[in-house]
Amino acid sequence: MTNASAIVHIVDDDAAVRDSLKLLLKTDDFDVRAHASARDFLASVGRGEGGCVVTDVRMPEISGLELLAEIEARGLDLPVIVITAHADVALAVQAMKAGAVDLLEKPFDDESLLGSVRHALDGRGGAGGLGSEAAAARDRLASLTSREREVLVGVLDGRPNKIIAHELGISVRTVEVHRARLMVKMRAKSLSELARISVLVPRAASI
């Protein structure tokens, strides 16, 4: 598919960020529309319109997470990529559970955004794709040791290493080692990837 076959909507109250993202995406031949607020975006988008949305989390009046909920409520088939300068695991999990296809923490490199937009425009992967992804997530989870799984639960709950260490009766350094190993085994390079895994394998529940 050509990049210009769908619209990428940028929703951010920071004009400099809007201009920067618009330039980047246009350079890669995407059709781009920039909106200064979620309200402006919602007023202009039509039902049945294809494309995706790149939105900041922290915006006045309507936040990025509230925009996610509104897109869902209106039945708009627009995958949403959330960007934020204040990412944490709790936020990433919340965004993913609200339906975001990705969460990027500022500053991110150009290719990360472009790759995320391409993935969003290619579709959510359908039920079969999600099933395969969930199966892969379960296999990776099964490769963790019991201690690594305990650390993973703490990480996904947003607890700092010091608290996890106290709860498990181990040193902070040991938590750091387990955390590094589980990131490798889960093939997660970011908070958003760990959050996505936690949604595919609910709360690492079966942990």
Side-chain angles (χ1 to χ4, degrees):
M1 109 182 212
T2 46
N3 289 347
S5 62
I7 298 169
V8 181
H9 294 275
I10 300 168
V11 185
D12 200 305
D13 59 314
D14 186 322
V17 172
R18 288 198 308 273
D19 291 344
S20 174
L21 294 179
K22 186 173 183 179
L23 177 61
L24 171 63
L25 290 162
K26 279 187 169 294
T27 300
D28 210 51
D29 296 326
F30 288 104
D31 185 1
V32 185
R33 292 182 192 169
H35 311 270
S37 69
R39 197 175 301 281
D40 288 348
F41 162 73
L42 291 169
S44 67
V45 69
R47 191 180 181 87
E49 186 172 317
C52 71
V53 177
V54 178
T55 181
D56 195 8
V57 167
R58 299 183 181 226
M59 296 185 293
E61 296 187 356
I62 301 175
S63 71
L65 293 181
E66 290 168 336
L67 176 58
L68 265 166
E70 187 61 28
I71 287 173
E72 179 74 18
R74 295 189 182 199
L76 300 176
D77 187 19
L78 292 169
V80 179
I81 299 161
V82 174
I83 57 176
T84 178
H86 309 280
D88 57 36
V89 174
L91 172 62
V93 170
Q94 187 178 1
M96 292 298 178
K97 286 185 175 179
V101 295
D102 204 356
L103 182 145
L104 299 177
E105 184 175 5
K106 301 175 184 175
F108 45 79
D109 60 70
D110 292 353
E111 193 50 47
S112 292
L113 177 68
L114 293 173
S116 186
V117 168
R118 291 186 198 109
H119 173 74
L121 292 178
D122 283 343
R124 298 171 188 262
L130 285 176
S132 299
E133 196 173 352
R138 283 193 294 271
D139 288 344
R140 293 173 193 172
L141 183 63
S143 74
L144 301 182
T145 66
S146 58
R147 182 64 85 190
E148 286 166 351
R149 294 182 189 185
E150 291 173 333
V151 172
L152 176 59
V153 170
V155 170
L156 292 177
D157 281 342
R159 297 197 289 275
N161 290 346
K162 184 176 180 179
I163 299 300
I164 296 173
H166 175 73
E167 292 175 344
L168 298 180
I170 56 180
S171 71
V172 173
R173 176 57 184 158
T174 300
V175 171
E176 291 171 349
V177 170
H178 286 311
R179 184 167 178 162
R181 286 177 179 167
L182 73 87
M183 290 290 283
V184 171
K185 288 183 178 181
M186 299 300 285
R187 299 182 190 175
K189 297 178 181 177
S190 66
L191 292 176
S192 61
E193 288 184 42
L194 259 188
R196 182 166 179 76
I197 290 168
S198 79
V199 173
L200 290 171
V201 185
R203 278 184 69 72
S206 25
I207 287 180

